[in-house]
Amino acid sequence: MFSTSNLFSPIKLPSQMETHLWYSLPNEIKTESLLSQYVDLLSPLEKDHIFSISSHELQKSALIARALVRTTISRYQIGSQVSPRSLEFKKNAHGKPEVIWQNSDDWHPPPPRLHFNLSHTSSLIACGVTVDSPIGVDVEEKQRTMKNNILSFAKRYFSCEEVELLSAISDPEVQRQEFIKLWTLKEAYVKALGRGFSGAPFNTFTIRFSSMNPDSEDSGIMIVPLENPSDLTTNWQFAQLELGGSHYAAICRESNGGASMKVIVRKTIPLVEEQIISEIN
Amino acid sequence: MASVAGSSTLMASLSCHKPNQALTRASNFNAVSLAINGKSFTSLKLYSAPSRLRISCAAKPETVDKVCGIVRKQLALPEDSAVTGESKFASLGADSLDTVEIVMGLEEEFGISVEEESAQTIATVQDAADLIEKLIEKK
């Protein structure tokens, strides 16, 4: 279903049960006039950063990422935040970006708490959006190869249980794919926590797949903290998707009373168009 | 309030322990507002002396070069692409997995162990080189 958005046509917020995932493909965005419009949306600091990137391709992709975040969030039209340019961002202690909602204390009732998280590869940029739940998103190219040996890398950074799971896969190509998917799940989790790789080292928790319960609605992925005591929380749920036929994506958000994650995926060219790809239950 | 002999004040306030901040602040003009005799002078531009500060804390050029090599290889950058101490990993196109692969490559090359907690402090090639030398020193 195509919808040509006329600049900033509003979008309904995700319900508490929903997660929205927006993505853009830099390769499809080429016209200089559109890229200039994106530059116009940025803050001075963002412009400085973009212009400091020497590679044209990387510069374009960084620019699209900022445009995606700003246009996406402003589409939800929260309070007075109607313009992509007016949004302000801050970083938490671990560097996770968050929106600064203007004068939110004055609002009655309080504004909906929109959360977002961005994941950026050179060929695809994704932005997940939720209401009332922190969110982490990670994407990786399906074809991505590792420069290090996969099991060596896993032994260094992942948990023992995860190393065992990967070691048990005899086909190297399947092993590589499962490794990448596992990476995206772990990365999505630590981004949802807001702590990132440094704040929640990957060998302090296992991602465990419980595939044995067909009646269970959720994806059967659970977090198992490995330290005792641990400050890692476990009330999170995951979704795994493929985007554009070319990328693995993982989304992590707070659990929703046992219901599986409902994800609405939209492919977009900021300021131009969007297309609902699928609704995943 | 900064004094006119401001470069020394600025240097004192820039800490070797936070190379990121030092580079970010020192590489631009610092516009400082001075109050002299009750009048305030804005936009007095002071050069802080970044190169002096960096040499006293910074890693050897050979270390920086080795890091650049590992980064180039990981990110499959062409030989002529600009990778220097000031290059930010993110600006070179490194995503999270690339960055950790680079750190693992550095561990193997230099025979060190980089705690995951330290990964957050590494934003540029120079940061990585400085951390490597600190870890080598500790061994």
Side-chain angles (χ1 to χ4, degrees), chain A residues 4 19 33 52 55 60 62-63 66 73-74 77 81 85 90 110-111 130 145-146 167 182 208-209 213 221 224 259 271:
Chain A
T4 301
T19 301
S33 61
S52 77
S55 149
K60 188 177 92 164
L63 173 59
R66 294 318 305 160
I73 292 174
S74 64
Q77 301 266 300
Q81 308 298 155
R85 209 177 281 111
K90 63 181 176 187
T130 54
T145 51
M146 293 291 288
S167 303
L182 184 53
R208 184 178 292 166
F209 302 86
N213 186 357
I221 297 172
V224 182
L271 299 181

Side-chain angles (χ1 to χ4, degrees), chain A residues 49 53 58 93-94 120 138 140 144 146-148 152-153 156-157 183 187 197-198 201 203, chain B residues 73-74 88 91-93 95-98 100-101 103-104 107-108 113-114 116-117 119-120:
Chain A
H49 169 70
I53 299 172
L58 291 176
H94 295 272
H120 193 167
D138 192 54
E140 290 292 345
R144 186 221 180 90
M146 293 291 288
K147 300 296 179 294
N148 294 283
S152 302
F153 185 96
R156 169 66 184 84
Y157 292 108
W183 172 274
E187 184 69 3
F197 181 83
S198 303
N203 58 8
Chain B
K73 194 172 143 215
Q74 175 65 34
K88 292 187 206 161
S91 302
L92 293 172
D95 64 17
S96 52
L97 184 48
D98 288 314
V100 180
E101 283 223 82
V103 171
M104 184 163 169
E107 288 189 328
E108 288 178 351
S113 178
V114 180
E116 282 88 318
E117 290 81 354
Q120 196 157 328

Side-chain angles (χ1 to χ4, degrees), chain A residues 89-238:
Chain A
F89 297 88
K90 63 181 176 187
K91 290 191 176 173
N92 77 0
H94 295 272
K96 181 177 186 183
E98 297 164 355
V99 181
I100 303 172
W101 297 108
Q102 306 297 335
N103 304 316
S104 53
D105 293 338
D106 299 336
W107 294 357
H108 300 286
R113 290 178 298 156
L114 185 148
H115 296 254
F116 79 95
N117 192 234
L118 186 70
S119 179
H120 193 167
T121 67
S122 54
S123 45
L124 186 146
I125 301 155
C127 182
V129 175
T130 54
V131 163
D132 283 344
S133 165
I135 177 175
V137 174
D138 192 54
V139 296
E140 290 292 345
E141 284 178 15
K142 283 166 69 170
Q143 294 306 312
R144 186 221 180 90
T145 51
M146 293 291 288
K147 300 296 179 294
N148 294 283
N149 172 275
I150 285 174
L151 289 180
S152 302
F153 185 96
K155 282 175 188 159
R156 169 66 184 84
Y157 292 108
F158 285 14
S159 73
C160 293
E161 189 177 317
E162 290 162 343
V163 173
E164 276 175 32
L165 182 133
L166 290 169
S167 303
I169 303 173
S170 50
D171 183 320
E173 176 57 12
V174 176
Q175 188 189 68
R176 189 193 59 81
Q177 290 168 5
E178 292 308 311
F179 167 83
I180 302 283
K181 291 196 284 185
L182 184 53
W183 172 274
T184 61
L185 286 166
K186 293 177 80 78
E187 184 69 3
Y189 171 59
V190 301
K191 290 176 81 178
L193 285 177
R195 289 160 62 167
F197 181 83
S198 303
F202 281 12
N203 58 8
T204 61
F205 65 95
T206 286
I207 295 259
R208 184 178 292 166
F209 302 86
S210 57
S211 50
M212 297 295 116
N213 186 357
D215 295 332
S216 167
E217 280 191 332
D218 70 28
S219 56
I221 297 172
M222 53 190 283
I223 303 287
V224 182
L226 297 174
E227 291 171 342
N228 196 4
S230 169
D231 55 1
L232 296 177
T233 49
T234 59
N235 56 324
W236 301 90
Q237 60 177 192
F238 293 86

Side-chain angles (χ1 to χ4, degrees), chain A residues 7-21:
Chain A
L7 279 187
F8 310 127
S9 58
I11 283 261
K12 214 168 135 223
L13 278 165
S15 70
Q16 301 247 346
M17 309 287 290
E18 284 174 357
T19 301
H20 289 178
L21 187 68

Side-chain angles (χ1 to χ4, degrees), chain A residues 21 239-243 247-251 263 265 280:
Chain A
L21 187 68
Q240 290 184 280
L241 347 158
E242 294 190 17
L243 297 175
H247 288 72
Y248 294 127
I251 305 174
V263 185
V265 182
I280 298 169

